[in-house]
């Protein structure tokens, strides 16, 4: 990728050198891409390089192996949301997850579309109930796109697709109430909204976050627990307090 101009979502930024920054952006057609932004730590660039913002990005590199130089122009700012505790926590976590989980340079168009939709929902919804279910679905999609998808189509114990209510932490497959009889405490609750659609109530959403969180920690974030999962813990705790 010697050169590329595209819109992209800012997912992560870290300082590099005295004045620069390395930004990792999710693009529609090329996946997650890093680039060095000269002056990325300046007062002018800090509001642009905020997680969740949409930018017009111009990557330039001499070779495919070289870290590209990157210039960015703000296309859509979500900076005001960073002043609101719940939206800020949702953006921080979803951006951190995306940056940590995805390999660089691999296209994930479905994930880009879902991630963009999730951020739009966080921005537009008057309350967290309007985007929390979308976050659970985004996490499920990310697991599936990376090869760790859950099988929620039929009961792993008895077969059939009726009355699915749990997920096996071992096989990541759904289990019906009849199939789970006597083993309920060893299984993860399967929120009905993940099967029937809709937003679900708060108890279902918290169960959904518990479900996806288990598999994200086990399969995706195994080497990045302390820093990345801390953002998720902050989000879940804020959601629990908000609905208590």
């Amino acid at each position: 990728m010697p050169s590329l101009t595209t819109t992209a979502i800012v997912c992560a930024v870290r300082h590099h050198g005295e004045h620069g920054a390395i930004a990792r952006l999710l693009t529609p057609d090329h996946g997650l891409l890093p680039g060095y932004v000269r002056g990325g730590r300046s007062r002018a660039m800090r509001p642009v390089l905020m997680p969740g913002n949409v930018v017009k990005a111009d990557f330039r590199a001499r070779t495919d192996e070289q870290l590209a130089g990157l210039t960015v122009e703000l296309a859509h700012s979500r900076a005001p949301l960073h002043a609101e505790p719940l939206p800020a926590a949702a953006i921080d976590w979803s951006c951190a997850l995306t940056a940590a989980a995805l390999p660089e340079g691999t296209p994930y168009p479905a994930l880009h579309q879902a991630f963009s939709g999730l951020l739009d929902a966080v921005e537009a919804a008057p309350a967290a109930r309007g985007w929390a279910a979308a976050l659970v679905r985004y996490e499920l999609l990310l697991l599936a796109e990376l090869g760790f998808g859950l099988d929620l189509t039929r009961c792993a114990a008895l077969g059939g697709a009726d009355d699915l209510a749990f997920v096996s932490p071992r096989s990541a497959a759904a289990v019906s109430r009849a199939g789970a009889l006597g083993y309920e405490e060893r299984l993860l609750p399967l929120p009905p909204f993940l099967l029937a659609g809709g937003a679900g109530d708060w108890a279902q959403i918290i169960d959904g976050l518990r479900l996806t969180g288990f598999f994200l920690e086990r399969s995706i974030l195994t080497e990045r627990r302390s820093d990345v999962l801390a953002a998720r813990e902050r989000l879940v705790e804020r959601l629990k307090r908000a609905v208590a």
Side-chain angles (χ1 to χ4, degrees):
M1 189 202 67
S3 64
L4 173 68
T5 300
T6 181
T7 58
I9 301 169
V10 179
C11 291
V13 181
R14 64 178 175 87
H15 294 170
H16 186 80
E18 187 174 354
H19 303 292
I22 295 177
R24 305 181 75 199
L25 313 182
L26 185 63
T27 68
D29 301 318
H30 297 81
L32 191 71
L33 296 177
Y36 173 74
V37 183
R38 188 181 300 274
R41 297 171 62 182
S42 69
R43 182 176 299 178
M45 290 305 302
R46 284 198 297 269
V48 177
L49 292 175
M50 294 187 72
N53 280 357
V54 180
V55 296
K56 180 180 178 182
D58 189 9
F59 294 88
R60 292 287 183 268
R62 291 188 177 90
T63 67
D64 289 340
E65 291 74 27
Q66 181 187 38
L67 177 66
L70 172 61
T71 58
V72 294
E73 177 182 339
L74 185 63
H76 179 70
S77 174
R78 295 190 172 100
L81 296 175
H82 287 268
E84 303 178 33
L86 275 173
I91 292 174
D92 285 347
W93 158 245
S94 58
C95 288
L97 170 63
T98 303
L102 298 187
E104 293 176 355
T106 302
Y108 291 99
L111 270 179
H112 180 274
Q113 182 177 7
F115 187 39
S116 180
L118 169 61
L119 293 174
D120 286 345
V122 172
E123 186 173 16
R129 178 77 179 276
W131 51 258
L135 174 61
V136 177
R137 291 192 175 95
Y138 177 69
E139 293 179 348
L140 278 177
L141 177 62
L142 186 142
L143 283 162
E145 290 283 302
L146 293 179
F148 300 100
L150 281 60
D151 181 1
L152 306 181
T153 60
R154 58 189 295 107
C155 175
L158 302 177
D162 295 333
D163 202 20
L164 301 177
F166 300 93
V167 175
S168 165
R170 179 175 298 180
S171 67
V175 182
S176 67
R177 293 186 195 279
L181 193 61
Y183 296 91
E184 293 89 346
E185 293 185 357
R186 302 184 187 180
L187 304 174
L188 296 164
L190 173 58
F193 79 90
L194 291 179
L195 301 175
D201 60 26
W202 274 117
Q204 293 178 22
I205 289 169
I206 296 302
D207 281 344
L209 289 168
R210 178 187 172 200
L211 176 66
T212 53
F214 175 87
F215 290 103
L216 287 171
E217 185 172 354
R218 187 184 76 175
S219 303
I220 303 294
L221 301 174
T222 54
E223 298 177 358
R224 307 177 180 89
R225 291 186 181 183
S226 60
D227 50 352
V228 179
L229 286 173
R232 192 176 202 275
E233 291 168 4
R234 287 192 295 270
L235 170 61
V236 173
E237 285 305 311
R238 287 179 181 178
L239 285 173
K240 288 180 177 178
R241 289 199 299 268
V243 303

